[in-house]
Amino acid sequence: MSDAEGNPLEEAEDGETEMKEEEHPDYSEEEENVPQKSGDDLLPRRETQEEKEAEEEGEGNLEEEEGEGNLKEEEGGGSLKEEEGEGSLKEEEGSQEEIPGASQQITMAMVSLEGLSSTDSESLMSENSLVSSNRHSFKIIGRESEHSLPTESLSTLSSPSDYELALTSSEEKLIISLQKKMARLSSGELAQEKVSEPVKGEKRREKKVSYVDKGKEEELQPVAHTPAADKESLVSTSSKDVLFQKDDGAKVYPLTMTWKFGWNSSLPVYYIRDEEQRVLLYANAHTAVIYNAHKNTQHHLRGHPNVISCMCVSEDRRWIATADKGPNCLLMIWDSFTGIPVHTIFDSCPDGEGIRAIAMTRDAKYLATISDAEIQKVCIWRWTLAAETPACTLDLPKEYGFQNYLIFNPTNNKELVSNSKVRAIYYLWYEERGILIHSAPLLTEKTFNKHVGKFSQSIFHLNLTQVLSATLEGKLVVWDVYRPPLSTSTLPYIKPCKLVHLQKEGITVLTTVDSYIVTGDVKGNIKFYDRTLSIMNWFSNFKLSSIRTLSFSKTPATPPTEKSNYPSDCTLKGDIFVIRNFIIGTSDAIVYHLKADETKLEKLLIEPKEAICAISCHPYQPLITIGSSCGMIKVWDYKKKKYLFSRVFEKGLGIQSLTYNPEGDLLGAGFTEGTVYILDAMSLENGIPEPFNYSRTSVTHISFSHNSQYMATADANFTVAVYMVKVRHSERVWEYLARLRSHRQSIRSLLFGVHLDSNEPRLLSLGRDRLLIEYNLLGSYKNHLEVLDIHQTDQGNYPTCMIWYPPLTKELFLLISNSGYKVKLFNSTTKMCRKTLLGPSLRVSHEQVQVLPVKTAMELERRYLVFINRDKVGLQILPIDGNPHKTCAIVCHPNGVAGMALSHDGHYVFTAGGQDLSVVQWEVNLSALEAAVSLGGEDLIPFYGLVSGGREGKFYRVLNGYSYFKSHTHTHTYYLETFKNIHVGQGGVPAVFEARALMSSREKIDDMFNEIKFSEYVDTGEVIDKISLPDFLKVYLNHRPPFGYTMSSIQKNFDILGYTNSEGKKAIRREDFLRLLLTKGCPGEHMTEEELSDCFATLLGLNPEGWKSEPAASSLKGPEVRWEEELPEEITAEIFVTDILGLTISPGFGQDAE
């Protein structure tokens, strides 16, 4: 098969390369009347829309000169004089409409595709294609006529109605509209070109265009080196070796993906190239990876927002199609030579369910997809026409089962077959009618009086008149395809005609290559059959696991020679069995390459077959250790991208956590069933005689002390266990010390530290129950783990992770992130909250944070934080101050991040994807992050963008003009002053917060007081009692809710506290509502009766002067104001927000209270 045969821009569909004159008399007549001109004459002048309008208005006539000829119409003869650079077909329907010429870059040419050879096709591909960008994607637009669409050669149309349909298709109109717009936009460029045209009589040199007519080719003069002409499509001019020769250049992003470990073994692996370099294509999470096994390099096809659900390649391996499932799912087509996305379909599944199966025609002109929805939809796409909508669709009934496999007839683009486990479906596409008919006979036990089994895959038989469906029972269902003549009213259909018990093992893969039908089964056997289903050869001595995918090289097998070592087939003659090299993918996530000439099997990929939840980097060597739920531990050299060694534990032992000790000679491993191993880091052999079995559930955290004397673990049962080193018979031995169920909810972090005065280890744990617990290691003994201190970190939000803050100040801090998108700094000794800071505004909280390691003293002056959240990995510059420009993040695993590790030198970040079976290596580029910060501005400039309207907005003007209270106990007097400095006392900072409708709890007010009062205490020993406006703005932005108060969060509280009323809404009775305000809440946070009376009297307008604390309201007593009667008997979230608080609710889901 030649490359041209599969090129979607070159070949007429269905192998029809000749056009019959009786079917298209008008077009044939026009083609025959095209005069054979010399190269100098075949240079039509491109006419822009502006020029045409100017000609119509009489403002100037454009004359044909300087070697450029206008497209002329001879009305008398009706013949079309058409030039090679711009051919425009015309519809002869009483009037002939002249379509304006395209811009300099969209030059159209009518090219006959009759008798295209491989060389001619490649020439046509390189010279007559254009890559245009649309919505961040590239779309291939062939340079044929504006009416003869790029891949819809007229020779493929079977009737005049087909020709008319092609002319009026919506895709055609879309492209013509685009060309007109570009022509108008490029008018300035063309005018500029005209100034530099040669003098009259000198021949203008145009771009070389290949014109093929029955094997004869005329070439024009080469193009002049104008700016427009030099812009050639990289897709059309590239060769297959360009991809791995490309220089990525300077790294412009703070985090750049450099390698992907693992592959999705549920999807196929494709053999892309097999000449001088072995190149594979496989899926890894939301990225398609093109891997060169000889050079050990990868190229990543990135762009999908969700995990890739299916993929396919063209017959010539040039075009790759990938699809995903999930929100904003995409269907993308790539050029494998360059790695460029040539077309992206954004709305392939408007409901967001995604694509389950995909197939591409042999010539790559069409794509077919099956959606991943309850009601599956089959779509056929004319992707080469840059179409955004399918050419036809078909909804499948539920009783057909979940269709998960799809394939085109290799010799007929209009036929497809798909199957679920219970039903096979045959499709026939009537392109001229835009419909897709199908036939799906139901097989029962009575059909063949035998058990059939569940279908796995289906293909078209090599004889083209039958369809074969393989089953997991080792059987093959043979379907006859009936194709009645079009003159009859009978529709095509398939009918089961035979059930062949092909083999004992269940068939998992069914495909064809050359003249063979090939199967792969659950026992790892690969068998080859001829057209009559007679066995020709098989490979069963490799002891493989279940076959998931088979992909044969596109390069034909080498003819046998004396030095060849091809095996013999199974016939009586014992002929040499010649087969192409191929790739094997198995269910245990191993990819093999089989060289048929030597019957040599080579392992190319050995990856975990289950979720990857644990990764850890060696403390001083370039090693990354990956642990999987299948019990495999793998060690890689991440600089050389080389697999070193691995160990697979017995079944049932899944790796959940991994950690190296500070010396790097031990590796702690926690397992899903509670076992803890201490392994030798360089051999993965047991470092202790027997593993520890003191946990009953999954071990989620492992940590070593700085001197490797202690090891602590935390499990899913909220229990902390401690192990320590003892000297027994002059040998260091690890022993169990004690364990304690110290938390009520999941443990988020387990951390060792160092006592500043004694250099002894200290151990802390942080739980989702908001408790920070420190343990007394020196006071603990066998089976008794003593607690030293317990501190509550927050009230409403729960903590998510904890680390030691680097020593950027004289004070030592613990950094704790919480679910409210905030970061808090706690004094490591007193546990006092010293600062509350705004975290990255990514609408998801941190799941894990680490400080980027440094190696030199100069690097200690500038430190960085690495974090992961639900699906992203990011960098943040320290110290944290709420500046949004100090943070960057990128999606690393759409389905969730399971873990993170940092290289010992701080140059790489590794993220594990859990269920997506992948680990990603990211290269860190700190200069790019620093550049982003410098562009964001200095001082308060980055913070102005966080308030509505910025510095000149209403919020800042009102804040700058506020008056404030200087409250004195008992007297309630107040003073009006200019807002230069705010007093920190009760009437200062809290009063301004409340004036902005930000009601803080007493604990949060105490945190603000401590943050301001002791901000300079460590350096100066003084307590601050005033704060300037710029500093207050930072405090305000860091302490306020990052996304305001939302109606959904208020409704959530009512859902918990209320009951369902007669209207089906959650409500709270008036008496219960008041009782909750007076009695419930954190200690010291509930309201007093006086506060409750004053608050509601003001909110309900019964105290017009405001709070009772003001002099004008001091004469009113609480009992005199009957505010209780103003409250409704039932209070819902809407009533509370609108009627009581007096706020308005913005429309939309998750409404915001303003």
Side-chain angles (χ1 to χ4, degrees):
M1 179 184 304
S2 66
D3 290 345
E5 186 177 350
N7 195 322
L9 306 180
E10 300 167 1
E11 185 193 10
E13 71 179 48
D14 298 342
E16 296 175 2
T17 56
E18 294 186 3
M19 180 175 58
K20 300 179 181 180
E21 295 185 3
E22 60 272 16
E23 290 183 343
H24 306 290
D26 297 337
Y27 175 76
S28 301
E29 181 180 350
E30 290 175 351
E31 186 177 15
E32 290 173 358
N33 288 331
V34 175
Q36 301 294 325
K37 297 187 177 182
S38 65
D40 295 340
D41 295 330
L42 292 173
L43 298 170
R45 189 185 192 285
R46 280 165 285 217
E47 183 180 41
T48 66
Q49 180 70 18
E50 288 78 8
E51 290 171 341
K52 185 175 180 180
E53 293 175 355
E55 184 179 7
E56 292 175 353
E57 294 175 3
E59 296 177 359
N61 295 327
L62 299 174
E63 298 179 358
E64 180 179 351
E65 60 182 7
E66 301 172 350
E68 296 182 4
N70 285 326
L71 186 66
K72 298 180 180 180
E73 300 176 5
E74 298 183 2
E75 298 179 0
S79 62
L80 173 67
K81 293 185 177 181
E82 190 170 7
E83 307 293 345
E84 285 288 332
E86 174 189 2
S88 229
L89 297 177
K90 294 184 289 294
E91 302 176 68
E92 300 183 4
E93 297 177 357
S95 64
Q96 295 179 339
E97 178 183 355
E98 182 177 353
I99 297 177
S103 66
Q104 179 73 14
Q105 294 186 13
I106 305 184
T107 308
M108 313 303 288
M110 180 170 67
V111 181
S112 173
L113 298 181
E114 299 181 26
L116 277 181
S117 65
S118 176
T119 306
D120 297 332
S121 301
E122 291 173 0
S123 173
L124 179 61
M125 169 66 189
S126 62
E127 296 294 337
N128 296 325
S129 64
L130 176 76
V131 176
S132 65
S133 176
N134 181 24
R135 295 177 70 180
H136 307 290
S137 67
F138 292 84
K139 300 178 180 180
I140 297 182
I141 303 176
R143 289 169 50 184
E144 297 178 30
S145 127
E146 284 183 335
H147 281 301
S148 179
L149 297 182
T151 59
E152 293 292 319
S153 171
L154 292 180
S155 60
T156 66
L157 303 175
S158 58
S159 66
S161 63
D162 288 342
Y163 173 63
E164 206 165 311
L165 178 64
L167 293 178
T168 58
S169 67
S170 59
E171 296 87 347
E172 162 100 41
K173 296 176 182 177
L174 180 82
I175 296 176
I176 293 176
S177 173
L178 175 64
Q179 293 167 351
K180 289 182 179 179
K181 290 179 182 178
M182 293 187 68
R184 289 194 293 269
L185 290 174
S186 62
S187 59
E189 181 184 20
L190 293 178
Q192 203 172 29
E193 247 181 66
K194 188 174 180 180
V195 176
S196 61
E197 286 178 350
V199 295
K200 189 172 183 179
E202 184 178 342
K203 303 299 182 183
R204 179 183 175 93
R205 301 176 69 194
E206 281 291 347
K207 187 171 182 178
K208 180 171 142 184
V209 179
S210 174
Y211 181 85
V212 183
D213 184 15
K214 295 182 180 180
K216 298 180 179 180
E217 180 177 333
E218 297 179 7
E219 295 186 354
L220 305 179
Q221 296 296 327
V223 64
H225 291 286
T226 61
D230 284 341
K231 297 178 182 177
E232 293 216 13
S233 163
L234 181 61
V235 174
S236 63
T237 59
S238 65
S239 67
K240 59 188 176 183
D241 296 325
V242 169
L243 186 64
F244 295 102
Q245 294 176 355
K246 289 176 20 176
D247 184 10
D248 294 333
K251 300 292 188 293
V252 296
Y253 302 106
L255 290 169
T256 303
M257 181 189 297
T258 59
W259 195 265
K260 300 210 74 175
F261 302 91
W263 70 285
N264 187 350
S265 58
S266 64
L267 297 181
V269 178
Y270 291 103
Y271 207 163
I272 298 297
R273 222 158 294 145
D274 184 32
E275 287 82 8
E276 298 177 356
Q277 46 189 347
R278 195 169 298 158
V279 181
L280 313 181
L281 169 72
Y282 55 89
N284 182 298
H286 64 309
T287 305
V289 179
I290 300 179
Y291 172 60
N292 189 319
H294 283 175
K295 296 183 178 180
N296 194 31
T297 56
Q298 290 183 350
H299 182 85
H300 305 123
L301 307 181
R302 292 180 291 169
H304 285 282
N306 309 293
V307 171
I308 293 175
S309 58
C310 54
M311 58 196 304
C312 65
V313 297
S314 61
E315 182 68 20
D316 63 356
R317 311 300 199 271
R318 176 70 188 268
W319 311 105
I320 301 168
T322 58
D324 62 73
K325 58 180 179 180
N328 304 313
C329 56
L330 299 179
L331 175 58
M332 304 184 72
I333 297 91
W334 313 78
D335 174 25
S336 68
F337 287 3
T338 62
I340 293 176
V342 294
H343 186 46
T344 301
I345 299 174
F346 291 87
D347 300 319
S348 59
C349 296
D351 298 331
E353 64 272 8
I355 305 297
R356 184 64 187 88
I358 189 170
M360 185 180 288
T361 57
R362 191 182 186 91
D363 56 12
K365 289 182 181 179
Y366 306 113
L367 276 176
T369 61
I370 301 180
S371 65
D372 191 26
E374 186 177 1
I375 302 296
Q376 290 186 287
K377 179 178 290 186
V378 183
C379 300
I380 295 181
W381 305 85
R382 296 189 181 101
W383 71 270
T384 56
L385 299 185
E388 297 292 335
T389 56
C392 69
T393 61
L394 173 67
D395 291 338
L396 299 178
K398 290 183 181 180
E399 55 266 24
Y400 287 178
F402 192 75
Q403 301 288 315
N404 54 16
Y405 187 78
L406 179 67
I407 190 172
F408 273 96
N409 187 337
T411 60
N412 187 351
N413 290 352
K414 305 301 186 294
E415 288 186 323
L416 306 92
V417 65
S418 72
N419 67 260
S420 64
K421 291 182 179 180
V422 297
R423 192 77 69 96
I425 307 177
Y426 164 79
Y427 308 87
L428 181 61
W429 176 29
Y430 282 92
E431 185 176 7
E432 64 278 5
R433 304 179 192 173
I435 60 174
L436 188 66
I437 65 170
H438 72 285
S439 172
L442 176 63
L443 289 185
T444 65
E445 298 287 341
K446 298 180 180 180
T447 305
F448 299 107
N449 292 323
K450 291 181 181 179
H451 180 64
V452 176
K454 295 180 179 179
F455 293 125
S456 56
Q457 292 185 0
S458 300
I459 60 170
F460 284 90
H461 195 289
L462 296 172
N463 60 22
L464 308 179
T465 62
Q466 292 177 321
V467 170
L468 306 177
S469 296
T471 75
L472 296 179
E473 299 292 328
K475 300 174 183 178
L476 212 60
V477 178
V478 182
W479 311 81
D480 283 335
V481 181
Y482 293 88
R483 304 180 180 95
L486 294 178
S487 57
T488 65
S489 59
T490 306
L491 296 176
Y493 64 95
I494 59 173
K495 182 180 180 180
C497 68
K498 188 183 299 184
L499 180 64
V500 181
H501 201 153
L502 203 62
Q503 56 188 59
K504 294 181 180 180
E505 302 82 8
I507 300 173
T508 54
V509 176
L510 180 63
T511 185
T512 61
V513 60
D514 298 329
S515 59
Y516 299 110
I517 297 171
V518 190
T519 65
D521 58 47
V522 294
K523 296 293 185 179
N525 303 319
I526 302 169
K527 300 181 180 181
F528 295 80
Y529 301 86
D530 64 7
R531 296 171 180 265
T532 64
L533 299 181
S534 298
I535 186 72
M536 299 299 294
N537 201 1
W538 67 87
F539 298 100
S540 59
N541 57 340
F542 296 128
K543 308 299 181 183
L544 307 180
S545 61
S546 178
I547 306 297
R548 286 286 180 85
T549 179
L550 295 172
S551 180
F552 290 85
S553 170
K554 71 170 185 177
T555 306
T558 305
T561 62
E562 294 181 356
K563 297 182 179 181
S564 299
N565 192 25
Y566 285 107
S568 301
D569 62 22
C570 301
T571 62
L572 294 177
K573 294 181 180 180
D575 295 333
I576 296 177
F577 181 72
V578 180
I579 195 67
R580 306 180 186 211
N581 298 339
F582 60 96
I583 293 293
I584 308 167
T586 61
S587 59
D588 55 358
I590 302 178
V591 177
Y592 303 88
H593 176 266
L594 191 142
K595 189 173 182 180
D597 189 5
E598 303 173 2
T599 319
K600 179 182 177 181
L601 195 66
E602 176 187 358
K603 289 183 180 180
L604 300 182
L605 297 175
I606 307 173
E607 302 295 348
K609 61 181 179 179
E610 295 181 17
I612 299 174
C613 300
I615 54 174
S616 182
C617 285
H618 196 276
Y620 56 85
Q621 291 187 13
L623 304 179
I624 174 74
T625 303
I626 300 172
S628 168
S629 297
C630 65
M632 174 186 286
I633 297 180
K634 290 188 63 176
V635 180
W636 287 76
D637 185 324
Y638 56 75
K639 285 190 175 179
K640 297 180 180 179
K641 310 299 186 296
K642 183 180 179 181
Y643 160 69
L644 299 179
F645 50 89
S646 65
R647 176 179 175 180
V648 179
F649 290 83
E650 54 267 27
K651 189 175 182 181
L653 292 179
I655 313 297
Q656 186 64 36
S657 53
L658 290 171
T659 302
Y660 283 97
N661 71 330
E663 287 77 18
D665 60 336
L666 297 177
L667 177 67
F671 289 77
T672 53
E673 93 303 343
T675 304
V676 176
Y677 278 78
I678 298 179
L679 306 173
D680 181 86
M682 293 295 104
S683 64
L684 298 183
E685 297 295 330
N686 290 355
I688 54 177
E690 293 293 333
F692 298 114
N693 290 286
Y694 294 95
S695 295
R696 301 182 183 90
T697 57
S698 177
V699 178
T700 57
H701 296 79
I702 294 183
S703 182
F704 285 93
S705 63
H706 71 288
N707 56 6
S708 295
Q709 292 297 309
Y710 291 91
M711 181 183 73
T713 64
D715 60 30
N717 201 26
F718 325 139
T719 301
V720 174
V722 178
Y723 308 85
M724 64 181 301
V725 173
K726 295 282 188 179
V727 178
R728 305 290 186 193
H729 306 291
S730 301
E731 292 184 1
R732 292 166 53 90
V733 180
W734 283 94
E735 292 185 356
Y736 165 75
L737 178 63
R739 61 195 299 265
L740 177 67
R741 194 174 191 268
S742 50
H743 291 273
R744 299 187 300 271
Q745 297 185 40
S746 62
I747 297 174
R748 308 295 299 187
S749 292
L750 187 66
L751 203 61
F752 273 101
V754 180
H755 286 286
L756 299 179
D757 52 352
S758 63
N759 201 36
E760 288 293 328
R762 55 189 299 199
L763 176 64
L764 302 98
S765 65
L766 179 68
R768 201 177 187 274
D769 54 7
R770 304 175 183 86
L771 295 182
L772 172 61
I773 301 177
E774 183 170 0
Y775 305 88
N776 185 0
L777 295 177
L778 295 179
S780 301
Y781 50 88
K782 188 71 172 181
N783 295 325
H784 177 76
L785 183 59
E786 185 172 330
V787 174
L788 182 65
D789 177 58
I790 300 177
H791 181 79
Q792 183 171 332
T793 62
D794 215 318
Q795 286 181 320
N797 302 311
Y798 61 86
T800 57
C801 54
M802 170 181 66
I803 59 165
W804 291 105
Y805 197 69
L808 300 177
T809 62
K810 295 180 180 179
E811 194 173 0
L812 185 61
F813 293 119
L814 279 167
L815 183 149
I816 297 179
S817 295
N818 64 25
S819 59
Y821 318 112
K822 298 295 180 64
V823 174
K824 289 188 173 185
L825 299 182
F826 290 84
N827 183 283
S828 63
T829 303
T830 64
K831 309 298 193 302
M832 176 189 294
C833 180
R834 294 281 287 102
K835 269 193 176 183
T836 300
L837 302 160
L838 180 65
S841 300
L842 303 173
R843 292 195 176 270
V844 282
S845 56
H846 292 165
E847 296 292 332
Q848 187 179 343
V849 292
Q850 292 186 38
V851 177
L852 199 67
V854 294
K855 287 297 182 182
T856 64
M858 294 182 60
E859 294 176 336
L860 291 172
E861 300 176 0
R862 195 71 164 169
R863 302 302 299 273
Y864 301 86
L865 198 70
V866 186
F867 64 87
I868 57 173
N869 55 31
R870 183 177 59 203
D871 59 350
K872 299 179 181 67
V873 58
L875 289 172
Q876 187 168 15
I877 299 177
L878 298 179
I880 301 174
D881 56 7
N883 183 350
H885 300 293
K886 284 188 174 183
T887 304
C888 73
I890 185 172
V891 174
C892 55
H893 302 278
N895 286 2
V897 188
M900 174 181 66
L902 306 181
S903 64
H904 66 94
D905 55 6
H907 292 168
Y908 299 100
V909 178
F910 299 87
T911 58
Q915 295 296 333
D916 67 12
L917 310 177
S918 70
V919 173
V920 185
Q921 179 178 347
W922 305 88
E923 184 176 354
V924 178
N925 181 15
L926 298 176
S927 58
L929 182 58
E930 294 287 356
V933 175
S934 62
L935 292 174
E938 299 178 349
D939 299 326
L940 288 179
I941 294 177
F943 296 91
Y944 292 142
L946 297 177
V947 297
S948 178
R951 186 174 185 178
E952 305 301 326
K954 179 180 178 181
F955 172 86
Y956 193 78
R957 294 199 308 270
V958 171
L959 186 64
N960 198 21
Y962 266 149
S963 299
Y964 66 94
F965 299 105
K966 291 176 75 173
S967 178
H968 297 270
T969 307
H970 305 303
T971 62
H972 301 295
T973 57
Y974 67 101
Y975 304 91
L976 191 66
E977 295 185 2
T978 307
F979 192 177
K980 294 181 180 177
N981 291 289
I982 306 178
H983 284 269
V984 179
Q986 181 181 356
V989 172
V992 179
F993 267 72
E994 291 165 0
R996 296 304 306 163
L998 297 176
M999 308 303 175
S1000 299
S1001 65
R1002 288 183 175 89
E1003 181 178 302
K1004 291 184 178 179
I1005 291 174
D1006 290 341
D1007 289 345
M1008 283 189 281
F1009 287 168
N1010 294 331
E1011 181 175 335
I1012 298 170
K1013 282 183 179 181
F1014 300 106
S1015 58
E1016 300 178 6
Y1017 185 80
V1018 176
D1019 296 326
T1020 64
E1022 297 180 357
V1023 176
I1024 304 300
D1025 62 350
K1026 293 182 180 180
I1027 183 173
S1028 64
L1029 174 60
D1031 290 337
F1032 172 78
L1033 179 63
K1034 292 183 180 180
V1035 172
Y1036 170 81
L1037 293 174
N1038 283 316
H1039 280 266
R1040 70 172 183 175
F1043 306 110
Y1045 298 111
T1046 62
M1047 188 63 196
S1048 58
S1049 62
I1050 296 173
Q1051 182 64 56
K1052 183 179 180 181
N1053 294 327
F1054 274 79
D1055 293 341
I1056 297 173
L1057 300 173
Y1059 68 96
T1060 304
N1061 61 12
S1062 58
E1063 299 179 359
K1065 297 181 179 180
K1066 291 291 184 178
I1068 304 175
R1069 293 184 180 88
R1070 177 174 56 192
E1071 305 80 44
D1072 296 336
F1073 182 73
L1074 298 177
R1075 178 176 54 81
L1076 289 170
L1077 293 176
L1078 289 171
T1079 61
K1080 298 298 182 181
C1082 297
E1085 295 292 349
H1086 57 79
M1087 302 177 73
T1088 64
E1089 291 187 4
E1090 185 179 6
E1091 289 172 337
L1092 190 68
S1093 177
D1094 290 341
C1095 180
F1096 277 103
T1098 303
L1099 287 173
L1100 298 174
L1102 303 178
N1103 193 354
E1105 295 297 329
W1107 278 71
K1108 185 184 174 186
S1109 58
E1110 298 184 10
S1114 60
S1115 60
L1116 295 175
K1117 304 298 181 182
E1120 299 174 4
V1121 181
R1122 306 300 300 173
W1123 52 268
E1124 295 95 336
E1125 299 177 358
E1126 299 295 326
L1127 293 176
E1129 294 185 0
E1130 283 187 347
I1131 300 174
T1132 63
E1134 292 80 5
I1135 292 175
F1136 175 72
V1137 171
T1138 57
D1139 297 346
I1140 298 178
L1141 298 182
L1143 304 177
T1144 58
I1145 300 176
S1146 61
F1149 178 78
Q1151 306 144 335
D1152 293 333
E1154 299 176 348

